[in-house]
Amino acid sequence: MIDQTRLPNKLVYIRCRDYKEVANAIKNLVVRGAPAIGVTAAFGLALAAIQSNSKTLSELMADLDIAFKVLQSTRPTAINLFWALTRVMKKARGKKSVDEVKNTILDEALKMAKEDIEINKQIGMNGAKLFEDGDVIMTHCNAGSLATAAYGTALGVIRRAKEDGKRLSVIVTETRPVMQGSRLTTFELHHDDIDVSLIPDTAVGYMMFKKVIKHVIVGADRVLRTGHVFNKIGTYQVAIMANIHKIPFYVAAPLSTFDFENTPEDVVIEERSIDEVIKIGRKRIVPKGVRVFNPAFDMTPPELITGIITEKGVLKPPFGKNLELLYNK
Ligand code: MRU
């Protein structure tokens, strides 16, 4: 897979040789973005299965349980990680032979990768109708091809609108501190010849005040049944500003990103190394001894969200009730 920590300066593909390398790649943001993390973890389990020397079914399942725990401990917020690992393990259980388990897990991982692309295209189709020719769209973080098996969720909607012949301009926030906007989203959009401009995170309010932005669209790491959306740190403040300026704020997410069990208090917000904040490149810019917080995600409440674009359609408030209807469609 592409090593996203090297983008945009180097487009390097790396090969993970075992599930531990897969886990490290997820932890270190070599691969990131909720759906991409999920699919990658599924392939991690496939590697663990294929490389297991177990002769019996119970030994193999024990090896898989260890790999499962290592992979699931890599990042806490994106639910696709847990969803993907659980789905693969569920398929593996109840199989009759070691070979059957190994084949089933690999087939399931491959199926998930394929499915993810189809789902993103469906999200793109459902969401593109919301945009008109000439619109200027703001996005935060990277919810594109890089964050999924391919095509993207939020950027998939933009891609589809372009395929439909709409000329869109995209305004991308830097997305401090890891700069997924500056490094990844601009790279991806520029690569695909989609009109893109970068702004500092701090310019969001000003650009909205100037009436430059027509819509905001972002991805999600987890959506609760109440419509609370967990996404990259900064999403909440973009949503507040969009609300004040009466700009529609959309979330694009597959149903694999929905969490029907937990409440806002249950969700763990990942805290990452302060090195991401105190340094620019290798240079420290913050005095030693200063306390630093580095939460990687925040929660946007449903009242700030205009709609959630899924593969089954666009959810409108009240999200709880409409989600039930959509899910059973
Ligand atoms: O820390 P990251 O880069 O994994 O965070 C990614 C995001 O917050 C994305 O917006 C989200 O995962 C949706 S990706 C389709």
Side-chain angles (χ1 to χ4, degrees):
M1 56 194 172
I2 294 174
D3 181 349
Q4 300 192 34
T5 63
R6 309 284 300 273
L7 286 173
N9 298 326
K10 287 234 153 55
L11 180 57
V12 179
Y13 287 81
I14 60 134
R15 190 182 290 268
C16 291
R17 289 178 188 79
D18 56 39
Y19 79 84
K20 288 184 187 154
E21 285 189 7
V22 172
N24 282 333
I26 297 173
K27 205 180 221 153
N28 300 328
L29 308 185
V30 166
V31 56
R32 30 70 46 209
I37 292 171
V39 171
T40 305
F43 280 110
L45 270 185
L47 275 176
I50 290 162
Q51 292 177 344
S52 169
N53 294 321
S54 306
K55 298 275 175 296
T56 67
L57 208 47
S58 61
E59 279 169 12
L60 176 59
M61 292 318 283
D63 279 353
L64 287 173
D65 281 336
I66 296 171
F68 180 98
K69 288 200 182 91
V70 171
L71 288 161
Q72 84 158 356
S73 66
T74 49
R75 300 196 70 191
T77 310
I79 194 159
N80 300 60
L81 174 63
F82 312 100
W83 168 85
L85 290 170
T86 313
R87 172 169 155 179
V88 171
M89 285 304 268
K90 217 166 151 185
K91 275 270 162 177
R93 287 191 209 289
K95 293 286 172 291
K96 300 221 165 34
S97 71
V98 164
D99 282 347
E100 206 187 337
V101 171
K102 291 186 177 190
N103 292 335
T104 302
I105 295 190
L106 181 57
D107 286 351
E108 195 64 9
L110 289 164
K111 188 171 161 205
M112 283 164 82
K114 201 165 157 247
E115 251 176 47
D116 188 54
I117 302 170
E118 284 158 14
I119 286 169
N120 292 336
K121 293 208 164 151
Q122 196 63 45
I123 291 174
M125 199 175 94
N126 293 340
K129 296 174 194 141
L130 302 165
F131 299 163
E132 282 165 21
D133 188 35
D135 280 354
V136 178
I137 317 286
M138 176 177 282
T139 191
H140 185 65
C141 195
N142 172 270
S145 257
L146 290 164
T148 58
Y151 206 71
T153 56
L155 296 194
V157 174
I158 289 167
R159 273 202 174 90
R160 176 58 197 252
K162 190 193 173 210
E163 285 161 23
D164 289 346
K166 296 172 188 167
R167 284 157 301 171
L168 301 182
S169 298
V170 186
I171 295 198
V172 175
T173 55
E174 307 167 279
T175 321
R176 269 196 62 80
V178 188
M179 305 299 199
Q180 289 94 332
S182 312
R183 295 187 303 107
L184 307 178
T185 303
T186 59
F187 170 83
E188 208 182 302
L189 293 175
H190 191 62
H191 178 274
D192 282 8
D193 210 16
I194 297 175
D195 186 74
V196 55
S197 316
L198 178 72
I199 59 163
D201 288 334
T202 41
V204 171
Y206 176 72
M207 297 301 279
M208 288 184 176
F209 169 76
K210 294 284 277 180
K211 301 196 189 310
V212 174
I213 318 287
K214 190 79 185 292
H215 303 274
V216 178
I217 186 164
V218 296
D221 288 87
R222 196 183 284 239
V223 182
L224 304 189
R225 62 182 333 139
T226 44
H228 289 81
V229 168
F230 291 81
N231 193 47
K232 180 53 53 189
I233 192 75
T235 303
Y236 177 43
Q237 55 200 34
V238 174
I240 290 175
M241 282 191 267
N243 185 264
I244 286 175
H245 293 93
K246 300 194 171 31
I247 297 168
F249 181 93
Y250 289 102
V251 175
L255 291 171
S256 55
T257 300
F258 282 69
D259 174 354
F260 293 97
E261 280 162 25
N262 290 301
T263 63
E265 294 72 35
D266 300 326
V267 180
V268 177
I269 299 277
E270 180 180 10
E271 289 270 347
R272 294 189 61 84
S273 164
I274 64 164
D275 277 359
E276 291 176 354
V277 182
I278 64 172
K279 290 180 182 168
I280 289 187
R282 294 213 180 111
K283 195 168 155 33
R284 187 179 176 118
I285 50 153
V286 179
K288 289 202 171 116
V290 170
R291 190 183 300 115
V292 178
F293 299 113
N294 186 20
F297 299 95
D298 60 24
M299 184 187 78
T300 300
E303 56 273 21
L304 298 179
I305 299 167
T306 312
I308 305 177
I309 307 159
T310 75
E311 66 271 35
K312 286 207 178 187
V314 182
L315 263 177
K316 290 280 173 72
F319 294 114
K321 190 168 144 248
N322 290 337
L323 186 58
E324 305 265 309
L325 296 174
L326 186 92
Y327 208 71
N328 297 320
K329 227 159 94 175

